[in-house]
Amino acid sequence: NAGVTQTPKFRVLKTGQSMTLLCAQDMNHEYMYWYRQDPGMGLRLIHYSVGEGTTAKGEVPDGYNVSRLKKQNFLLGLESAAPSQTSVYFCASSYSMGLAGSDEQFFGPGTRLTVL
Amino acid sequence: EDQVTQSPEALRLQEGESSSLNCSYTVSGLRGLFWYRQDPGKGPEFLFTLYSAGEEKEKERLKATLTKKESFLHITAPKPEDSATYLCAVQAVGGSRLTFGEGTQLTVNP
């Protein structure tokens, strides 16, 4: 059981370049999330998905797009990277979002992105 | 707007010196309060969920408690391997996301 995996682990982009971060989970979880973590800001939700084929905006969605074509995968895209998007990105998944005892989120190891 | 404030920002303890971390929150209606542990360079690791005031949960040297305004993470006789950043998060009733605090960085010296 690999849990939640993220690809790549590190990436350096130039301003204006695009990239896609891949998240995969093997726990058959319905819910998946993308967060960014910045010093002094804590973890902030970018986008999330409540099931295959669905996506929704989180707290800081601007500049990002997501897709959930398969239940086990959740992709985060940056169409035109900006220095303000330099951050550590975490993917997470959960079995439910409101059922006590099964709503804990499991996090991946993170992707460290630098935009020059 | 949901808010989570954790204190202190950083805490240094000697091995065996018990202490508590605080998580104060404001939320329209609490559905759950979550504690996570995060080691440097890694993703957060789930510790506890608390759902109602008065609830307590324990895991090894950690004990989490919940009131209507705050949660405490008590660490009893900590060991150096307990060194990490501890994150608190809340989820509102009917809400779809967790609101995280900035964390408390705990260092336990041998």
Side-chain angles (χ1 to χ4, degrees), chain B residues 1-78:
Chain B
E1 184 180 326
D2 303 339
Q3 286 191 322
V4 177
T5 302
Q6 293 188 245
S7 60
E9 289 185 13
L11 180 63
R12 284 187 176 272
L13 299 173
Q14 289 297 122
E15 184 171 2
E17 180 187 1
S18 301
S19 188
S20 297
L21 313 182
N22 178 263
C23 171
S24 297
Y25 64 90
T26 55
V27 64
S28 52
L30 181 69
R31 200 201 74 73
L33 185 140
F34 300 76
W35 281 100
Y36 285 83
R37 168 191 170 127
Q38 186 174 23
D39 292 300
K42 296 189 176 181
E45 176 187 344
F46 172 76
L47 292 173
F48 306 107
T49 312
L50 301 168
Y51 295 101
S52 57
E55 189 175 0
E56 300 182 350
K57 287 192 177 173
E58 290 188 65
K59 180 180 180 180
E60 295 180 356
R61 294 175 293 282
L62 301 177
K63 179 180 176 180
T65 62
L66 180 65
T67 72
K68 290 186 177 180
K69 294 183 178 180
E70 56 192 349
S71 176
F72 292 93
L73 185 65
H74 307 279
I75 303 175
T76 302

Side-chain angles (χ1 to χ4, degrees), chain A residues 33 35 37 39-45 48 58-59 90 97-110 112, chain B residues 1 31-32 34 36 38 40-46 48-49 51 57 85 87 91 95-103:
Chain A
Y33 315 83
Y35 292 89
Q37 188 174 38
M41 301 293 289
L43 278 157
R44 292 179 293 168
L45 183 66
Y48 65 99
E59 184 183 357
F90 289 101
M97 200 186 284
L99 186 62
S102 62
D103 52 2
E104 59 264 30
Q105 295 183 17
F106 294 84
F107 283 79
R112 187 173 295 274
Chain B
E1 184 180 326
R31 200 201 74 73
F34 300 76
Y36 285 83
Q38 186 174 23
K42 296 189 176 181
E45 176 187 344
F46 172 76
F48 306 107
T49 312
Y51 295 101
K57 287 192 177 173
T85 296
L87 303 173
Q91 184 179 23
S96 55
R97 66 183 182 93
L98 298 181
T99 299
F100 280 86
E102 294 182 31

